[in-house]
Amino acid sequence: MRPYIIKIDPYNIDQEALNRAAEIIHNRGLVAFPTETVYGLGADATDPKAVAGIFEAKKRPLDDPIIVHIAEIDDLARVSEKAPPLAYKLVERFWPGPLTVVLKKTDIIPDIVSSGLDTVAVRMPSNEIARGLIKAAGVPIAAPSANLFSRPSPTKAEHVLNDLEGRIDMILDGGPTEIGVESTVIEVIGSEVNILRPGGVSVEDLRRMTKNVNVPSDQWHQERSPGKYPQHYSPQAKIVLVPDRPDQDEKVMSYVAKIKEQNKTFGIMAKQEHEDRYRGFNVKILGPGRDSRICASRLFSILREFDKEEVDIIIAEGIPEKGLGLAVMNRLRKAAGPVEMFFNIFHNPQE
Ligand code: TXA
Ligand code: MG
């Protein structure tokens, strides 16, 4: 069974299509829809049976809680207890947009959404198709990224179809998403903001609003956030991540030599600056290293393109961790998996 795919022009949204999608939501169905970050897989957040369907379709473990999407700031009071003043100040500044805030939940949110925690992650997306759907449904919508668990998040309707064909009821195709990495997830404790997942709102942007923004290491994230799985956002190919430093291109070429020795196929995800350096190889350009917005918007799509070509290894050039570069590098490190996997590729623990 193919899901029912409806193309929607984001500049001229067809209300009838949104109404049909809302009806599916009311009937406990699953609708994939675009947000400004990535495509989400939505169900009625107040209905535990509907939300159970999301976990099943994605093959997502039940201990990984789901973000609840609302259409208006006023809807916040339905899903969460009163937000602390700093949290409220931040949502007023960054909503609608790619910021998710973890707050105390109300009883309307069933345990399955929050994986048994007494908190709920809430976000108000800026994408008008997403907001239109939430409004048409008249309920908050629980939606993780619309990919199979552990695969790269979908930035196009086609990615959703590749992962979830036959497992969901409808896809609203609003074209490629703008930002390309998921929202920034934060918790606010008193006057401190802890970043639980870097994303579409940069740390620099948050720091313009408040002093105490803590950016823990990737290691900390894995221990602290629910759903701590070592490998995430992964294509089928193994990823070798080459840090952003002056001899980056030489390092890439040394890996190319090793991979060739082993008769493996590979692709290089490179910064624009190095395009000429890798002529003759299978290269996809992430973007200019200094333009983290472009890099973020292409990241997941490139990983999926390499998978289609069935390359064994993706050599990925890292970019500076500024702006959205922090989120890009966080996803790449998770996709690359633990360091040991990388050693297994080369059988050379000295590297
Ligand atoms: O941009 C996005 O955030 C996209 C779009 C669809 O909105 N959604 C998304 O959802 O990326 P998902 O499920 O792939 O990632 C949500 C993450 C979870 O892995 C979890 O770590 C964190 O948000 N999260 C959810 N509820 C939480 C809670 N109550 N406490 C702490 N972290 C939570
Ligand atoms: Mg996800």
Side-chain angles (χ1 to χ4, degrees):
M1 176 199 76
R2 281 174 79 85
Y4 184 22
I5 303 172
I6 304 187
K7 272 208 191 319
I8 299 195
D9 176 355
Y11 300 103
N12 182 18
I13 296 172
D14 173 8
Q15 186 61 40
E16 193 43 44
L18 295 183
N19 292 345
R20 264 183 283 168
E23 203 178 307
I24 290 177
I25 298 280
H26 286 157
N27 292 327
R28 293 191 167 147
L30 303 178
V31 176
F33 61 96
T35 80
E36 67 279 18
T37 57
V38 301
Y39 274 75
L41 180 62
D44 180 348
T46 65
D47 183 332
K49 287 216 174 90
V51 175
I54 295 180
F55 284 94
E56 201 180 304
K58 277 185 59 107
K59 303 187 183 167
R60 180 180 174 113
L62 284 162
D63 64 353
D64 197 358
I66 295 182
I67 296 174
V68 169
H69 297 69
I70 57 176
E72 305 289 346
I73 280 205
D74 288 347
D75 295 340
L76 190 54
R78 285 179 76 188
V79 298
S80 76
E81 302 292 338
K82 200 164 167 26
L86 177 56
Y88 205 79
K89 179 174 152 186
L90 294 175
V91 302
E92 280 198 307
R93 163 69 182 81
F94 293 107
W95 282 1
L99 182 72
T100 297
V101 191
V102 175
L103 297 164
K104 277 256 170 319
K105 76 175 191 71
T106 58
D107 291 341
I108 192 184
I109 300 299
D111 281 344
I112 188 167
V113 171
S114 61
S115 301
L117 299 170
D118 61 359
T119 54
V120 62
V122 191
R123 135 167 156 82
M124 174 171 140
S126 62
N127 181 294
E128 290 297 337
I129 299 172
R131 284 176 76 196
L133 172 65
I134 304 164
K135 280 186 202 159
V139 287
I141 290 193
S145 48
N147 50 285
L148 279 176
F149 181 69
S150 92
R151 299 266 305 138
S153 291
T155 55
K156 298 176 181 171
E158 171 200 329
H159 301 159
V160 179
L161 191 64
N162 288 341
D163 275 19
L164 298 176
E165 178 158 16
R167 309 178 71 82
I168 63 176
D169 301 294
M170 180 181 271
I171 301 176
L172 298 176
D173 178 357
T177 63
E178 214 177 288
I179 297 177
V181 290
E182 304 86 341
S183 62
T184 302
V185 181
I186 61 166
E187 66 178 5
V188 177
I189 297 178
S191 63
E192 307 256 324
V193 174
N194 293 328
I195 302 220
L196 303 180
R197 178 181 70 183
V201 171
S202 70
V203 172
E204 293 87 337
D205 284 345
L206 285 166
R207 289 207 169 121
R208 273 188 271 279
M209 296 297 292
T210 181
K211 282 198 305 284
N212 302 319
V213 179
N214 305 313
V215 189
S217 67
D218 288 352
Q219 186 60 34
W220 186 93
H221 287 294
Q222 288 188 0
E223 281 158 17
R224 181 73 204 280
S225 27
K228 43 186 173 188
Y229 300 91
Q231 221 181 351
H232 221 122
Y233 311 109
S234 308
Q236 249 105 47
K238 291 216 163 41
I239 293 188
V240 176
L241 179 56
V242 184
D244 175 58
R245 24 172 230 220
D247 65 345
Q248 191 179 34
D249 52 342
E250 283 160 42
K251 196 80 191 154
V252 168
M253 290 307 292
S254 76
Y255 289 139
V256 166
K258 284 186 190 174
I259 293 169
K260 280 184 161 172
E261 267 170 34
Q262 297 191 10
N263 286 323
K264 295 236 167 40
T265 58
F266 67 96
I268 304 173
M269 184 168 78
K271 297 192 295 208
Q272 190 122 45
E273 298 86 307
H274 290 156
E275 193 169 13
D276 290 342
R277 187 77 173 80
Y278 308 132
R279 234 167 247 291
F281 298 124
N282 179 4
V283 181
K284 299 190 196 296
I285 300 299
L286 185 60
R290 61 179 186 289
D291 194 335
S292 62
R293 289 209 159 259
I294 294 186
C295 293
S297 72
R298 293 184 188 162
L299 174 69
F300 288 136
S301 189
I302 291 180
L303 296 181
R304 281 178 182 263
E305 281 169 35
F306 275 129
D307 262 358
K308 262 202 175 148
E309 298 170 9
E310 300 185 341
V311 300
D312 299 320
I313 297 168
I314 300 168
I315 306 176
E317 288 196 335
I319 62 169
E321 303 202 22
K322 291 188 195 127
L324 298 196
L326 183 67
V328 169
M329 291 300 287
N330 167 271
R331 306 305 187 270
L332 277 174
R333 273 191 289 265
K334 289 196 176 167
V339 185
E340 307 80 64
M341 283 200 32
F342 168 84
F343 289 146
N344 286 342
I345 302 172
F346 295 110
H347 309 289
N348 180 3
Q350 304 309 319
E351 199 40 68

